[in-house]
Amino acid sequence: MSGVRAQQKEKTRRQIINAALNQLSAERSFSSLSLREVAKEAGLAPTSFYRHFSDMDELGLTLVDEAGLTLRQLMRQARQRIAKGGSVIQISVQTFMELIESNANVFRLLLRERSGTSAAFRAAVIREIRYFTMELCDYLQKANQLDAEVAYMQANAAVTIVFSAGSDALDIEDKAERDQLAQQTIQQLRFIARGALELSDRRKASKKSK
Amino acid sequence: MSGVRAQQKEKTRRQIINAALNQLSAERSFSSLSLREVAKEAGLAPTSFYRHFSDMDELGLTLVDEAGLTLRQLMRQARQRIAKGGSVIQISVQTFMELIESNANVFRLLLRERSGTSAAFRAAVIREIRYFTMELCDYLQKANQLDAEVAYMQANAAVTIVFSAGSDALDIEDKAERDQLAQQTIQQLRFIARGALELSDRRKASKKSK
DNA sequence: ATTTTGGGCGTACACTTGTACGCTAGTTGT
DNA sequence: ACAACTAGCGTACAAGTGTACGCCCAAAAT
């Protein structure tokens, strides 16, 4: 049970996953990858692929999980930075933009499969994003003492704005332009925060008066 | 020059376009369509396709233009309704949701190709959405007397939120749930409007004080 | 020491894909 | 009336696809 064999298997599994990730790009979506291409890039015979995944779909879902992991890593990093003080919104956007830059292909995968043709993929992506949203919702509710429903709407809107900005950022190569986009995103998040805070206060007030 | 010939050509061109639109669905993206499939659905021999489009790409760009038309149609309709009075945001969201329901596939095309693998497609979609955003920006600036930059940020954020909600709505079949989504979207747009108005006022005040 | 297991390979097959080429027949221009 | 043009068709081909099947051989289990 030393696992020499299992160890080797895990290794080639990673090779397949990495091969797939490497082939993703702005011009190449996951659904356009063929089993044979991925196998070749991984240094495998096409048929050996099946020893690890029964389908390209199964590989795809694994990649989405991988992407979810990256997302959670992002949240941890942002929280650490926030703990050191500074504007929460600014730090969050900046951290997010950095993550996108260094994991462009993973992020592209998420964005594409969110509106892709496989219901399973869409569900998986939406689950990851929902988790992300819920985390933010929790934070907002506690940090700003918001009404629960209002906090959710704010979190949802904020995530939408940030992901959309991330998507745009992927197509911008000029650093100054990206910075401007980040700046605009920060301002938009502040719009939302302001509106949410106000509604929450109004709701609290109407409860009190009863 | 009676144009019997040109007329016939235009007709089969439409057949091709409609064939492509018909094949689009939640499970079928444009990039997954093959030239042969489209030709067959249009009742044409594969090679006859080339008499109308040199490429599937060319057909795709035509479809995006078609979608842009639908978008402009939406704006006209919303403006008409707004002129009759009522909450601008509510009417806009409602109109948008109706459009999505009756043109689901066209809308899906836009959403998918926005983050698709063809740079030309992405550019075309972004152009349509930008046009849409600019129209809204103009309206906001005039109707609410906003600072120009603030109006743009609001329009941009609003379009992002609405399109994202539209994308979500495509996956919801339950009417009550869709209504709830619409309600949430309206509230989120109000958050943004509130934040934008405040920033604009603050900017005006700081100008005055100079 | 012997058997079982399982990852990896090569071959093979049935399909689908885009598109080059040449033909036909009916419209259009002269 | 005649010539030129052209939408549409059928054939054909090379390339790429997923995957069924059987073999090999080193690790694991007995």
Side-chain angles (χ1 to χ4, degrees), chain A residues 8 10 25 53 56 61 84 86 99 102 124 146 183 190 193 196:
Chain A
Q8 180 59 29
E10 186 55 30
S25 71
F53 302 95
M56 278 294 282
L61 289 176
K84 291 182 183 174
L99 173 109
S102 52
L146 291 185
Q183 218 45 49
R190 290 199 172 128

Side-chain angles (χ1 to χ4, degrees), chain B residues 1-6 34-37 46-47 50-51:
Chain B
M1 229 220 242
S2 68
V4 171
R5 194 169 199 122
S34 75
L35 183 153
R36 287 176 108 105
E37 280 176 310
T47 49
Y50 294 108
R51 301 290 186 195

Side-chain angles (χ1 to χ4, degrees), chain B residues 83-106:
Chain B
K84 291 182 182 173
S87 157
V88 173
I89 289 179
Q90 189 177 343
I91 290 172
S92 300
V93 170
Q94 194 180 328
T95 309
F96 192 76
M97 289 299 190
E98 282 172 20
L99 174 108
I100 284 173
E101 227 170 314
S102 51
N103 298 71
N105 291 343
V106 171

